[in-house]
Amino acid sequence: MEMINQLQDGKTKAFAKHCFERYSAEELNSAAEGSPDQAEMEHWGITAGQWEEAVATALADHKAQG
């Protein structure tokens, strides 16, 4: 989770770790192509920008491991 660990915002980092651990690279890729998930944004208390950054960062870490 090298890329995730570089995130400065605590909420974004926490959500990115959640995404990395819970979703596959394929699932994250699909999520990144769509709109931010409103329910996850509300649950985690993050903005659309933070959601997008977290998903993209988790996906990048998955790709780096592959």
Side-chain angles (χ1 to χ4, degrees):
M1 291 190 286
E2 189 174 324
M3 304 284 276
I4 292 171
N5 288 333
Q6 292 177 16
L7 292 173
Q8 298 299 311
D9 181 76
K11 287 183 179 180
T12 305
K13 185 185 286 189
F15 181 60
K17 285 182 180 179
H18 164 78
C19 290
F20 180 83
E21 293 167 356
R22 180 147 183 213
Y23 302 111
S24 68
E26 292 78 20
E27 289 171 315
L28 290 169
N29 199 41
S30 294
E33 290 174 0
S35 299
D37 186 297
Q38 294 296 323
E40 285 184 324
M41 287 168 43
E42 287 178 27
H43 177 78
W44 288 87
I46 57 176
T47 66
Q50 289 171 309
W51 186 93
E52 291 170 347
E53 182 179 16
V55 169
T57 305
L59 180 58
D61 270 346
H62 266 294
K63 288 182 176 177
Q65 284 190 341

